[in-house]
Amino acid sequence: MSTPRPALPRRTLPGRTLPRRTFLGGALAATTLPTAARAQAAPPPTLWQEFTRTPFTHPQIPYIARAGRHGGGDHRPPRPRPPVTRLSPDPTADAAPAINRALEAAGRAGGGVVVLPPGTFRIDGLIRIAHSGVTLRGAGSARTTLYATRNLTELIGPYGSRYGGDKSSWSWAGGLIWLAPRARWDALTDAIRARAWPFEGWTGNRRDEWSTLTTVTAPAPRGSWTVTVADASRLRPGALVLLRLADDSRHTLLQHMSGDGPGPAAYTWDDKTKLTSYVPYEWPVRIARVERRARGQRVTLERPLPLDVRPEWDPRLTTHVPALTDSGAEGLTLEAVETPQSPHLLDKGYNGVTLQCAYDCWVDDVVVRHVDNGFGLVAASACTLRRTRVEGRGSHHPYFCREGSHDNLVEDFTIVRRTVPARPGTQLHGINVEGLSSHNVWSRGRMEMGTFDSHRGLPFANVRTEIVVENDGRHGGDASAGPLFGARFTHWNITVTNHRAGLVKIDGLAPYSATVGISEVREFDQIDVPDFTGDPHARLEAYGAPGSVRPRNLYEAQRARGR
């Protein structure tokens, strides 16, 4: 049932030749990046020099040094903790019940590791990681395979869209390996079965499962690490809270996400009903320190503020649904039974791995094959996906990041050229981001198909860096979801093998953006126009020189500088 697969790609170093691939039309058999000597000879872009002087408040480049699990400082899974449960493969029997029982037992014990040895495990149901501190660990993606025979429509039921129409929400939600806290998962699936299509984020199906911990009493600028609050008595260091910002009648919060100024002020926001359903804006963050002073009570956060905090947005720190933390899946392949790809927006739910209402969780060395949608971040924050790979018959969203997902890191990722031609009526996106999601990073990737899919819904301050892409996908997004880009999108050191500009060269599209070190490209296929009028205040540097720009990787360079 499992087919041989190539090994996961090694990191590409300066002067090395990338793994040989055959791209559509024979445009590229191999790509050699510039040598280290050439890269070191090039002066740093002006943008980088500016950023080093104002790292938390630069107008075009976001601060993303703390993206990923535990502030970006811990990419490794925790050491195994008892209990460790080892299961044996039996390709003739459904292994899902035994795997789920073991995961549940580890969760009830306060955490643990469920080990899957080499072999193929047939699963006729989905795998749930519903407790914090739980790891599902295979023997490596080339050695342990979960073979999934059924889709989410069969296992849970049809999932319509809360925005109407005949769309299937399995086209952008859920996974056959699904990491989500138990109560949140139960509430979601109960609502789906009842056809009461839910919101999917941190405050419940109706966005009403929260209470105020304290109000923020003083303005604070984007990039600040501290806020002043009315009462810190319910706040503790290490606690996870939501910063909640509500928009006002003039939509000044949405304008601020877009960089402020006359362009966003002139934009028509009121009819963008899907976009406005995403606010209030909810940003999960841990508290680092609580100080009580004569002039006020101050809270230090583990990450700097992604936006200004202004009194007109009713800023407050609130509770949220219980989060899944320090859980992960690693060292395995999830292979779905090979079926034809469904028409666009009618996916049945042969989906890969999804993290939902998860914080400080991870996926490492995982391959998904023959899936409708690959790896999902849905209201997930501060998570790390490393050495992940999407391959097989082709997928709708190889990677999706939506519903207010923030501060995630996806690195060393690969999207492999589809093994069968695309069916008529299907759609391919790529590395998707939408729904007010911010400060997410895609780093060191190889995309043999797809695009940089900003899917409307005003994502802002996201970074794609050190990626090679055959730019042949198309972005999506309803008109009611508003702009493609908010402020501070950055594309840094991007090799475009087919020289298509769409959604990679963004200096004419994205406000207050930075496009640095990309290939020379031209417009063809899907061509977009700016959402905002006037000067976008975007920057373009080192155009036509991917690989020669230094620092080569914007995320790693920010990490090296420290706070």
Side-chain angles (χ1 to χ4, degrees):
M1 287 183 284
S2 181
T3 57
R5 67 187 68 87
L8 285 163
R10 295 186 297 271
R11 286 184 57 177
T12 303
L13 300 176
R16 296 270 182 93
T17 299
L18 295 172
R20 182 171 296 273
R21 303 286 185 200
T22 301
F23 283 75
L24 189 64
L28 179 69
T31 300
T32 302
L33 295 181
T35 63
R38 178 181 168 188
Q40 291 174 1
T46 302
L47 273 164
W48 174 250
Q49 297 177 50
E50 292 174 0
F51 175 83
T52 61
R53 293 192 290 269
T54 58
F56 306 130
T57 58
H58 193 276
Q60 281 87 16
I61 298 177
Y63 179 79
I64 40 84
R66 296 184 69 82
R69 183 167 176 259
H70 291 303
D74 183 6
H75 302 316
R76 299 169 299 172
R79 292 184 178 182
R81 65 185 80 178
V84 175
T85 303
R86 291 178 172 83
L87 302 176
S88 299
D90 178 0
T92 66
D94 176 17
I99 295 172
N100 284 325
R101 283 194 299 270
L103 292 168
E104 178 69 17
R108 288 198 307 268
V113 180
V114 175
V115 175
L116 304 178
T120 296
F121 294 78
R122 194 189 89 210
I123 56 170
D124 299 335
L126 63 90
I127 302 302
R128 294 175 55 191
I129 300 177
H131 296 274
S132 295
V134 173
T135 303
L136 177 63
R137 178 175 297 157
S141 60
R143 303 181 68 199
T144 299
T145 296
L146 300 180
Y147 183 78
T149 64
R150 303 175 72 192
N151 58 57
L152 294 169
T153 301
E154 295 171 310
L155 295 170
I156 297 173
Y159 187 4
S161 170
R162 66 178 182 257
Y163 301 106
D166 60 354
K167 302 171 185 177
S168 167
S169 286
W170 297 129
S171 301
W172 54 76
L176 292 169
I177 300 177
W178 200 333
L179 289 80
R182 168 175 289 283
R184 190 72 189 98
W185 191 90
D186 288 345
L188 282 166
T189 53
D190 286 348
I192 293 167
R193 292 186 177 103
R195 296 179 176 263
W197 313 130
F199 285 91
E200 300 157 280
W202 283 99
T203 48
N205 292 351
R206 296 181 179 86
R207 299 197 72 184
D208 58 1
E209 296 177 39
W210 61 274
S211 61
T212 299
L213 295 169
T214 188
T215 56
V216 180
T217 57
R222 173 176 66 90
S224 174
W225 295 73
T226 63
V227 291
T228 302
V229 300
D231 180 7
S233 62
R234 298 178 64 188
L235 305 179
R236 298 288 183 272
L240 182 65
V241 299
L242 288 185
L243 172 66
R244 189 176 190 271
L245 301 176
D247 203 8
D248 60 16
S249 61
R250 295 185 297 119
H251 301 295
T252 59
L253 176 60
L254 297 177
Q255 292 179 42
H256 179 54
M257 292 173 180
S258 305
D260 292 313
Y267 184 77
T268 300
W269 298 98
D270 284 329
D271 64 350
K272 307 304 186 296
T273 52
K274 186 173 183 179
L275 172 61
T276 54
S277 76
Y278 295 142
V279 288
Y281 173 78
E282 296 168 343
W283 181 59
V285 66
R286 289 197 191 279
I287 294 173
R289 187 167 65 251
V290 178
E291 301 172 89
R292 295 171 177 83
R293 299 180 177 180
R295 293 185 178 180
Q297 302 184 55
R298 291 165 57 86
V299 176
T300 301
L301 308 173
E302 70 169 342
R303 290 175 168 83
L305 290 174
L307 297 164
D308 288 356
V309 170
R310 301 178 187 172
E312 57 264 36
W313 300 331
D314 188 24
R316 56 186 66 208
L317 301 180
T318 77
T319 63
H320 48 81
V321 298
L324 185 75
T325 62
D326 285 318
S327 292
E330 59 190 47
L332 56 86
T333 288
L334 173 67
E335 179 176 342
V337 59
E338 187 170 358
T339 59
Q341 187 176 348
S342 296
H344 190 219
L345 302 179
L346 297 177
D347 295 350
K348 295 180 175 66
Y350 288 107
N351 295 349
V353 184
T354 289
L355 291 78
Q356 186 160 5
C357 296
Y359 198 93
D360 283 337
C361 291
W362 80 93
V363 177
D364 188 13
D365 182 22
V366 172
V367 174
V368 296
R369 184 181 300 123
H370 302 322
V371 293
D372 293 338
N373 300 280
F375 294 90
L377 296 161
V378 181
S381 293
C383 295
T384 297
L385 278 61
R386 294 187 65 240
R387 299 188 297 163
T388 55
R389 184 179 179 100
V390 181
E391 59 186 41
R393 50 89 158 153
S395 55
H396 179 194
H397 296 95
Y399 291 82
F400 57 97
C401 177
R402 50 178 295 271
E403 205 76 14
S405 290
H406 311 288
D407 304 300
N408 297 293
L409 171 64
V410 181
E411 64 180 358
D412 295 317
F413 68 95
T414 306
I415 302 172
V416 179
R417 172 69 53 188
R418 65 171 70 240
T419 54
V420 296
R423 299 181 71 207
T426 60
Q427 188 61 273
L428 165 67
H429 297 309
I431 50 175
N432 152 282
V433 60
E434 60 180 292
L436 302 186
S437 297
S438 69
H439 294 82
N440 301 289
V441 178
W442 291 263
S443 171
R444 294 200 308 265
R446 181 155 187 111
M447 300 171 60
E448 297 181 3
M449 61 179 189
T451 193
F452 289 4
D453 174 29
S454 296
H455 211 83
R456 301 200 178 275
L458 197 64
F460 65 93
N462 297 285
V463 168
R464 290 119 170 188
T465 183
E466 199 176 355
I467 298 171
V468 178
V469 56
E470 176 85 352
N471 186 14
D472 63 356
R474 297 171 68 84
H475 78 75
D478 294 340
S480 64
L484 281 167
F485 300 96
R488 294 180 300 284
F489 258 80
T490 300
H491 292 171
W492 189 284
N493 189 13
I494 308 296
T495 299
V496 186
T497 57
N498 61 343
H499 304 288
R500 177 184 167 216
L503 292 192
V504 176
K505 187 176 184 292
I506 57 174
D507 56 297
L509 287 175
Y512 289 93
S513 62
T515 305
V516 179
I518 71 163
S519 302
E520 291 187 8
V521 292
R522 63 188 185 277
E523 292 283 7
F524 60 90
D525 191 28
Q526 188 178 38
I527 300 174
D528 290 290
V529 297
D531 291 293
F532 305 112
T533 58
D535 184 353
H537 300 281
R539 303 278 292 277
L540 176 69
E541 284 196 60
Y543 180 54
S548 67
V549 65
R550 66 179 174 92
R552 295 177 56 83
N553 187 292
L554 182 61
Y555 170 73
E556 292 177 356
Q558 290 197 24
R559 288 284 304 162
R561 283 181 50 82
R563 176 173 170 174

mmCIF file of all heavy atoms in Angstrom, residues 12 72 75 79 110 126 170 186 206 243 257 268 285 305 315 322 341 344 352 381 401 473 479 488 506 518 561:
data_model
loop_
_atom_site.group_PDB
_atom_site.id
_atom_site.type_symbol
_atom_site.label_atom_id
_atom_site.label_comp_id
_atom_site.label_asym_id
_atom_site.label_seq_id
_atom_site.Cartn_x
_atom_site.Cartn_y
_atom_site.Cartn_z
ATOM 1 N N THR A 12 19.924 23.375 1.679
ATOM 2 C CA THR A 12 20.730 23.841 0.571
ATOM 3 C C THR A 12 21.722 24.870 1.078
ATOM 4 O O THR A 12 21.334 25.893 1.619
ATOM 5 C CB THR A 12 19.845 24.459 -0.512
ATOM 6 O OG1 THR A 12 18.892 23.474 -0.924
ATOM 7 C CG2 THR A 12 20.668 24.906 -1.696
ATOM 8 N N GLY A 72 10.648 30.518 19.185
ATOM 9 C CA GLY A 72 11.604 30.193 18.148
ATOM 10 C C GLY A 72 12.868 29.551 18.658
ATOM 11 O O GLY A 72 13.731 29.154 17.868
ATOM 12 N N HIS A 75 13.258 24.072 18.603
ATOM 13 C CA HIS A 75 12.697 23.326 17.491
ATOM 14 C C HIS A 75 12.630 21.830 17.792
ATOM 15 O O HIS A 75 12.073 21.064 17.028
ATOM 16 C CB HIS A 75 13.553 23.524 16.239
ATOM 17 C CG HIS A 75 13.688 24.954 15.845
ATOM 18 N ND1 HIS A 75 12.628 25.824 15.827
ATOM 19 C CD2 HIS A 75 14.768 25.670 15.453
ATOM 20 C CE1 HIS A 75 13.047 27.010 15.429
ATOM 21 N NE2 HIS A 75 14.332 26.950 15.216
ATOM 22 N N ARG A 79 12.211 15.685 25.637
ATOM 23 C CA ARG A 79 12.661 14.317 25.877
ATOM 24 C C ARG A 79 11.474 13.410 26.206
ATOM 25 O O ARG A 79 10.489 13.860 26.779
ATOM 26 C CB ARG A 79 13.650 14.298 27.046
ATOM 27 C CG ARG A 79 14.968 14.986 26.716
ATOM 28 C CD ARG A 79 15.942 14.843 27.861
ATOM 29 N NE ARG A 79 17.228 15.448 27.538
ATOM 30 C CZ ARG A 79 18.276 15.428 28.349
ATOM 31 N NH1 ARG A 79 18.175 14.868 29.543
ATOM 32 N NH2 ARG A 79 19.407 15.994 27.974
ATOM 33 N N GLY A 110 -0.896 12.715 32.046
ATOM 34 C CA GLY A 110 -0.175 13.978 32.132
ATOM 35 C C GLY A 110 0.839 14.180 31.035
ATOM 36 O O GLY A 110 1.596 15.154 31.060
ATOM 37 N N LEU A 126 -9.726 8.820 11.974
ATOM 38 C CA LEU A 126 -8.706 9.853 12.126
ATOM 39 C C LEU A 126 -7.966 9.667 13.443
ATOM 40 O O LEU A 126 -8.445 9.006 14.370
ATOM 41 C CB LEU A 126 -9.315 11.244 12.020
ATOM 42 C CG LEU A 126 -10.344 11.688 13.056
ATOM 43 C CD1 LEU A 126 -9.673 12.371 14.238
ATOM 44 C CD2 LEU A 126 -11.337 12.649 12.411
ATOM 45 N N TRP A 170 -14.266 21.209 4.509
ATOM 46 C CA TRP A 170 -13.120 20.289 4.529
ATOM 47 C C TRP A 170 -12.094 20.706 3.473
ATOM 48 O O TRP A 170 -11.000 20.157 3.435
ATOM 49 C CB TRP A 170 -13.570 18.853 4.295
ATOM 50 C CG TRP A 170 -14.483 18.300 5.348
ATOM 51 C CD1 TRP A 170 -15.682 17.680 5.143
ATOM 52 C CD2 TRP A 170 -14.274 18.278 6.771
ATOM 53 N NE1 TRP A 170 -16.242 17.290 6.331
ATOM 54 C CE2 TRP A 170 -15.401 17.639 7.356
ATOM 55 C CE3 TRP A 170 -13.272 18.746 7.608
ATOM 56 C CZ2 TRP A 170 -15.524 17.467 8.736
ATOM 57 C CZ3 TRP A 170 -13.402 18.578 8.984
ATOM 58 C CH2 TRP A 170 -14.506 17.939 9.529
ATOM 59 N N ASP A 186 -14.329 18.399 20.387
ATOM 60 C CA ASP A 186 -15.681 17.867 20.593
ATOM 61 C C ASP A 186 -16.737 18.895 20.197
ATOM 62 O O ASP A 186 -17.736 18.562 19.539
ATOM 63 C CB ASP A 186 -15.873 17.454 22.049
ATOM 64 C CG ASP A 186 -15.111 16.190 22.417
ATOM 65 O OD1 ASP A 186 -14.664 15.466 21.494
ATOM 66 O OD2 ASP A 186 -14.958 15.925 23.625
ATOM 67 N N ARG A 206 -19.137 30.168 18.685
ATOM 68 C CA ARG A 206 -19.843 31.436 18.479
ATOM 69 C C ARG A 206 -18.987 32.641 18.878
ATOM 70 O O ARG A 206 -19.488 33.753 18.967
ATOM 71 C CB ARG A 206 -21.154 31.446 19.273
ATOM 72 C CG ARG A 206 -22.137 30.392 18.817
ATOM 73 C CD ARG A 206 -23.430 30.471 19.629
ATOM 74 N NE ARG A 206 -24.394 29.479 19.199
ATOM 75 C CZ ARG A 206 -24.434 28.226 19.638
ATOM 76 N NH1 ARG A 206 -23.555 27.817 20.541
ATOM 77 N NH2 ARG A 206 -25.339 27.385 19.195
ATOM 78 N N LEU A 243 -4.695 38.802 23.605
ATOM 79 C CA LEU A 243 -4.866 40.232 23.431
ATOM 80 C C LEU A 243 -6.008 40.414 22.440
ATOM 81 O O LEU A 243 -5.950 39.907 21.311
ATOM 82 C CB LEU A 243 -3.597 40.886 22.892
ATOM 83 C CG LEU A 243 -3.741 42.350 22.487
ATOM 84 C CD1 LEU A 243 -4.028 43.232 23.696
ATOM 85 C CD2 LEU A 243 -2.515 42.841 21.740
ATOM 86 N N MET A 257 -3.864 47.713 10.276
ATOM 87 C CA MET A 257 -3.275 46.467 9.781
ATOM 88 C C MET A 257 -2.748 46.618 8.357
ATOM 89 O O MET A 257 -1.850 45.873 7.938
ATOM 90 C CB MET A 257 -4.314 45.349 9.809
ATOM 91 C CG MET A 257 -4.736 44.923 11.201
ATOM 92 S SD MET A 257 -6.099 43.739 11.112
ATOM 93 C CE MET A 257 -6.383 43.431 12.868
ATOM 94 N N THR A 268 -13.244 50.765 0.810
ATOM 95 C CA THR A 268 -14.584 50.431 1.291
ATOM 96 C C THR A 268 -14.511 49.144 2.120
ATOM 97 O O THR A 268 -14.271 48.066 1.583
ATOM 98 C CB THR A 268 -15.557 50.241 0.118
ATOM 99 O OG1 THR A 268 -15.612 51.454 -0.627
ATOM 100 C CG2 THR A 268 -16.948 49.882 0.628
ATOM 101 N N VAL A 285 -0.701 35.030 23.427
ATOM 102 C CA VAL A 285 0.665 35.330 23.842
ATOM 103 C C VAL A 285 0.834 34.927 25.306
ATOM 104 O O VAL A 285 -0.111 35.010 26.098
ATOM 105 C CB VAL A 285 0.986 36.830 23.636
ATOM 106 C CG1 VAL A 285 0.145 37.711 24.551
ATOM 107 C CG2 VAL A 285 2.473 37.118 23.807
ATOM 108 N N LEU A 305 4.390 43.509 20.622
ATOM 109 C CA LEU A 305 3.052 43.737 20.095
ATOM 110 C C LEU A 305 3.065 43.748 18.574
ATOM 111 O O LEU A 305 3.883 44.436 17.950
ATOM 112 C CB LEU A 305 2.505 45.067 20.598
ATOM 113 C CG LEU A 305 2.150 45.151 22.088
ATOM 114 C CD1 LEU A 305 1.774 46.592 22.437
ATOM 115 C CD2 LEU A 305 1.009 44.206 22.428
ATOM 116 N N PRO A 315 -8.935 47.671 24.029
ATOM 117 C CA PRO A 315 -7.941 46.614 24.228
ATOM 118 C C PRO A 315 -8.090 45.950 25.593
ATOM 119 O O PRO A 315 -8.300 46.618 26.601
ATOM 120 C CB PRO A 315 -6.607 47.363 24.119
ATOM 121 C CG PRO A 315 -6.934 48.765 24.525
ATOM 122 C CD PRO A 315 -8.327 49.019 24.047
ATOM 123 N N PRO A 322 -9.386 26.267 26.426
ATOM 124 C CA PRO A 322 -8.122 25.638 26.813
ATOM 125 C C PRO A 322 -7.291 25.266 25.588
ATOM 126 O O PRO A 322 -7.817 24.742 24.600
ATOM 127 C CB PRO A 322 -8.572 24.398 27.587
ATOM 128 C CG PRO A 322 -9.930 24.748 28.111
ATOM 129 C CD PRO A 322 -10.551 25.614 27.055
ATOM 130 N N GLN A 341 -8.587 14.014 -7.313
ATOM 131 C CA GLN A 341 -8.802 15.265 -6.599
ATOM 132 C C GLN A 341 -10.200 15.790 -6.893
ATOM 133 O O GLN A 341 -10.688 15.742 -8.022
ATOM 134 C CB GLN A 341 -7.759 16.306 -7.011
ATOM 135 C CG GLN A 341 -7.818 17.587 -6.196
ATOM 136 C CD GLN A 341 -6.716 18.559 -6.551
ATOM 137 O OE1 GLN A 341 -5.768 18.209 -7.257
ATOM 138 N NE2 GLN A 341 -6.826 19.798 -6.090
ATOM 139 N N HIS A 344 -12.975 22.119 -7.202
ATOM 140 C CA HIS A 344 -12.602 23.189 -6.291
ATOM 141 C C HIS A 344 -13.699 23.455 -5.266
ATOM 142 O O HIS A 344 -14.881 23.578 -5.601
ATOM 143 C CB HIS A 344 -12.324 24.460 -7.092
ATOM 144 C CG HIS A 344 -11.712 25.555 -6.310
ATOM 145 N ND1 HIS A 344 -12.052 26.879 -6.472
ATOM 146 C CD2 HIS A 344 -10.760 25.546 -5.329
ATOM 147 C CE1 HIS A 344 -11.346 27.632 -5.666
ATOM 148 N NE2 HIS A 344 -10.553 26.851 -4.958
ATOM 149 N N GLY A 352 -4.255 16.096 5.585
ATOM 150 C CA GLY A 352 -3.085 15.597 6.286
ATOM 151 C C GLY A 352 -3.096 15.892 7.767
ATOM 152 O O GLY A 352 -3.869 15.320 8.522
ATOM 153 N N SER A 381 -0.940 29.031 16.964
ATOM 154 C CA SER A 381 0.084 30.056 17.123
ATOM 155 C C SER A 381 1.324 29.470 17.794
ATOM 156 O O SER A 381 1.234 28.511 18.567
ATOM 157 C CB SER A 381 -0.447 31.230 17.961
ATOM 158 O OG SER A 381 -1.460 31.926 17.273
ATOM 159 N N CYS A 401 -2.889 28.344 6.340
ATOM 160 C CA CYS A 401 -2.651 29.081 7.589
ATOM 161 C C CYS A 401 -3.752 30.120 7.679
ATOM 162 O O CYS A 401 -3.784 31.069 6.895
ATOM 163 C CB CYS A 401 -1.273 29.729 7.548
ATOM 164 S SG CYS A 401 -0.869 30.741 8.981
ATOM 165 N N GLY A 473 0.749 28.098 -9.329
ATOM 166 C CA GLY A 473 -0.551 28.017 -8.675
ATOM 167 C C GLY A 473 -1.323 29.319 -8.812
ATOM 168 O O GLY A 473 -0.879 30.276 -9.462
ATOM 169 N N ALA A 479 -14.330 37.852 -2.644
ATOM 170 C CA ALA A 479 -14.266 39.314 -2.669
ATOM 171 C C ALA A 479 -14.686 39.910 -1.335
ATOM 172 O O ALA A 479 -14.165 40.950 -0.913
ATOM 173 C CB ALA A 479 -15.151 39.859 -3.787
ATOM 174 N N ARG A 488 3.515 45.093 5.728
ATOM 175 C CA ARG A 488 4.740 44.416 6.189
ATOM 176 C C ARG A 488 4.827 42.957 5.756
ATOM 177 O O ARG A 488 5.337 42.126 6.501
ATOM 178 C CB ARG A 488 4.909 44.565 7.708
ATOM 179 C CG ARG A 488 5.155 45.999 8.128
ATOM 180 C CD ARG A 488 5.315 46.147 9.621
ATOM 181 N NE ARG A 488 4.139 45.707 10.364
ATOM 182 C CZ ARG A 488 3.020 46.401 10.470
ATOM 183 N NH1 ARG A 488 2.890 47.566 9.861
ATOM 184 N NH2 ARG A 488 2.007 45.928 11.174
ATOM 185 N N ILE A 506 5.753 41.696 -5.095
ATOM 186 C CA ILE A 506 4.564 42.310 -4.499
ATOM 187 C C ILE A 506 4.731 43.803 -4.251
ATOM 188 O O ILE A 506 3.882 44.412 -3.605
ATOM 189 C CB ILE A 506 4.188 41.607 -3.178
ATOM 190 C CG1 ILE A 506 5.363 41.626 -2.184
ATOM 191 C CG2 ILE A 506 3.722 40.189 -3.445
ATOM 192 C CD1 ILE A 506 5.006 41.082 -0.803
ATOM 193 N N ILE A 518 14.703 38.723 -5.334
ATOM 194 C CA ILE A 518 13.924 37.724 -6.072
ATOM 195 C C ILE A 518 14.398 37.691 -7.519
ATOM 196 O O ILE A 518 15.057 38.607 -8.011
ATOM 197 C CB ILE A 518 12.414 38.007 -6.017
ATOM 198 C CG1 ILE A 518 12.035 39.235 -6.866
ATOM 199 C CG2 ILE A 518 11.935 38.165 -4.591
ATOM 200 C CD1 ILE A 518 10.558 39.310 -7.186
ATOM 201 N N ARG A 561 20.487 37.889 15.671
ATOM 202 C CA ARG A 561 20.647 39.164 16.356
ATOM 203 C C ARG A 561 20.106 39.128 17.783
ATOM 204 O O ARG A 561 20.473 39.951 18.614
ATOM 205 C CB ARG A 561 19.908 40.271 15.581
ATOM 206 C CG ARG A 561 20.634 40.739 14.344
ATOM 207 C CD ARG A 561 19.845 41.849 13.659
ATOM 208 N NE ARG A 561 19.471 42.895 14.595
ATOM 209 C CZ ARG A 561 20.248 43.890 15.003
ATOM 210 N NH1 ARG A 561 21.490 43.953 14.535
ATOM 211 N NH2 ARG A 561 19.823 44.804 15.847
#
